[in-house]
Amino acid sequence: QTAAGIYSWLPLGYRVLKKIEQIVREEMDATGAQEILMPTIQPAELWQESGRYDDYGKEMLRITDRHERGLLYGPTHEEIVTDIFRNSVKSYRDLPQNLYQIHWKFRDEVRPRFGVMRGREFFMKDNYSFDIDAESARHSYNKMFVSYLRTYARMGLKPIPMQADSGAIGGDMSHEFIVLANTGESAVYCDSAWLDTDALALEIDFENDLQPIVDKWTELYAATDDKHDPENCPIDAANLFTGRGIEVGHIFYFGTKYSVAMGATVSDDQGKDVPVEMGSYGIGVSRLVGAIIEANYDENGIVWPESVAPFKVGLMNLRSGDDACDTVCEKLYADLNKAGVEALYDERDERAGVKFAEMDLIGLPWQVAVGPRGVKAGTVEIKRRGGEREEISAESALARLV
């Protein structure tokens, strides 16, 4: 922690952050969204134009440059992207458009807490859709809804979409995505059928009508504590799951809120200028690092899902300096790297117990231990995190990990 709510990212955490970022990027690209990069520092006049500059409150970090021009460190980018759109797109023939970035943002939280899950500076994917009419905008919204289900599931999480308030973003349709975690910040009440859902089993064509999928995933009851009414809950006690969850994403459809205020119009098929329909969609990338840990741990430490683990395997030399152990480890490490398997090699002069404990704490999906007794017998120890150790040959261990 560098300051309250501001963090530096060290090697292992940074690798996890980049893994999450790449999954988010791949799922955004699959929908046809295009990646851009917008500035963190924004001119105040754009926010004054939209009407949000005075409404946003003290969470916005406001800055004045040497020429007394008002600037701000962007907490979100609706104004900037609307300005880009209105200066670049003039015809309905160029719609729909969906632009995204993965970038740093800042909100001056009065009480930053929960580490990177509620920091002031955070790494976020935000994207913005532009459509000619409400029907097209709903399709863009549904694309993001379905994409979010897949994105979180690829990270080993169970995503539950819930109706949400639009807050400072505005708009009349909004969902927040909650993932279940025992130490989550909000109480969650949902149909126990949610626990059996599998977003990755969905067959998706983003150009087809996605409304049936959205309807299926919103017909099951789910609510956070602020919206749950025990007296009128439609689920009986036997089928009601009660737990805790962490918000990791939010999507909004807000129609012409920004396009009217900022003059973002296109010519329609009759040659008439019309304001575009817009939506915005956020995923807290740095927040997800903390959320994944809270959803995947045991008494010994983190249990990283393989898709986001900083390394796939931890290779431990239990007798560093022993020629036989060094030779087996170095060959196995080289073979893993050659096969594209990310391996963390622990060759420190430490006791075996320390190495095992710290490897459990780090939480890599696989562990391979090489010691003098095993080398003499022609074996190494391999273990899935949380599983039982097994003695097999180094060649068999390599085959299992590749």
Side-chain angles (χ1 to χ4, degrees), residues 54-62 106-110:
D54 294 324
D55 294 341
Y56 208 88
K58 292 184 178 181
E59 287 186 352
M60 181 189 291
L61 183 62
R62 303 160 202 260
F106 188 92
R107 291 177 190 157
D108 199 4
E109 298 275 358
V110 63

Side-chain angles (χ1 to χ4, degrees), residues 3-19:
I6 300 174
Y7 296 87
S8 298
W9 290 83
L10 303 183
L12 292 178
Y14 186 61
R15 288 179 71 94
V16 174
L17 186 73
K18 300 304 285 185
K19 294 281 187 72

Side-chain angles (χ1 to χ4, degrees), residues 66-338:
R66 67 175 66 189
H67 302 293
E68 300 301 315
R69 289 180 294 228
L71 301 169
L72 58 98
Y73 194 133
T76 183
H77 278 71
E78 281 81 5
E79 283 78 5
I80 289 281
V81 78
T82 304
D83 184 56
I84 291 171
F85 178 88
R86 69 181 176 182
N87 290 324
S88 306
V89 179
K90 303 299 180 184
S91 170
Y92 77 97
R93 292 187 179 89
D94 296 321
L95 298 179
Q97 293 284 342
N98 198 324
L99 306 174
Y100 79 93
Q101 66 171 353
I102 305 174
H103 203 8
W104 291 100
K105 289 181 167 48
F106 188 92
R107 291 177 190 157
D108 199 4
E109 298 275 358
V110 63
R111 285 185 298 275
R113 57 194 188 279
F114 307 128
V116 297
M117 288 202 298
R118 197 63 181 265
R120 293 194 296 165
E121 184 183 49
F122 53 95
F123 199 47
M124 181 177 175
K125 185 282 302 178
D126 50 313
N127 64 298
Y128 307 89
S129 60
F130 302 85
D131 289 276
I132 190 63
D133 54 35
E135 181 181 355
S136 301
R138 181 61 188 244
H139 182 63
S140 294
Y141 184 94
N142 288 347
K143 277 186 175 183
M144 293 301 104
F145 184 102
V146 174
S147 174
Y148 276 35
L149 295 177
R150 284 187 46 82
T151 298
Y152 299 126
R154 283 185 61 187
M155 299 175 195
L157 298 170
K158 183 72 68 175
I160 302 180
M162 301 188 183
Q163 288 282 351
D165 297 324
S166 295
I169 302 292
D172 56 9
M173 184 166 61
S174 175
H175 285 90
E176 61 183 1
F177 288 77
I178 303 288
V179 296
L180 298 176
N182 291 335
T183 56
E185 57 198 346
S186 303
V188 172
Y189 304 86
C190 66
D191 191 319
S192 58
W194 274 114
L195 305 181
D196 299 321
T197 57
D198 180 7
L200 297 181
L202 296 172
E203 293 188 9
I204 307 232
D205 181 343
F206 284 105
E207 299 313 309
N208 287 343
D209 181 14
L210 300 172
Q211 193 62 49
I213 297 176
V214 174
D215 291 342
K216 180 180 178 181
W217 281 75
T218 53
E219 67 185 8
L220 293 174
Y221 179 76
T224 50
D225 47 2
D226 58 332
K227 291 184 178 293
H228 176 64
D229 181 359
E231 299 299 322
N232 296 296
C233 179
I235 304 298
D236 60 62
N239 294 302
L240 182 67
F241 172 81
T242 302
R244 302 199 68 81
I246 300 168
E247 182 193 341
V248 290
H250 212 146
I251 61 178
F252 306 86
Y253 163 67
F254 41 69
T256 60
K257 172 181 170 69
Y258 295 92
S259 55
V260 167
M262 299 183 66
T265 63
V266 296
S267 296
D268 65 12
D269 57 358
Q270 303 298 315
K272 179 184 176 182
D273 283 348
V274 295
V276 292
E277 301 275 339
M278 293 177 57
S280 71
Y281 317 89
I283 287 179
V285 177
S286 54
R287 182 179 179 84
L288 273 164
V289 177
I292 291 170
I293 292 172
E294 293 299 329
N296 297 276
Y297 69 92
D298 61 17
E299 65 277 8
N300 296 316
I302 305 168
V303 185
W304 288 114
E306 194 165 305
S307 60
V308 297
F311 297 90
K312 181 175 180 177
V313 56
L315 174 61
M316 292 172 281
N317 188 337
L318 302 184
R319 187 69 63 82
S320 292
D322 178 89
D323 289 343
C325 289
D326 291 350
T327 298
V328 172
C329 282
E330 288 164 11
K331 183 179 187 307
L332 185 53
Y333 183 59
D335 288 342
L336 288 167
N337 283 324
K338 186 177 179 181

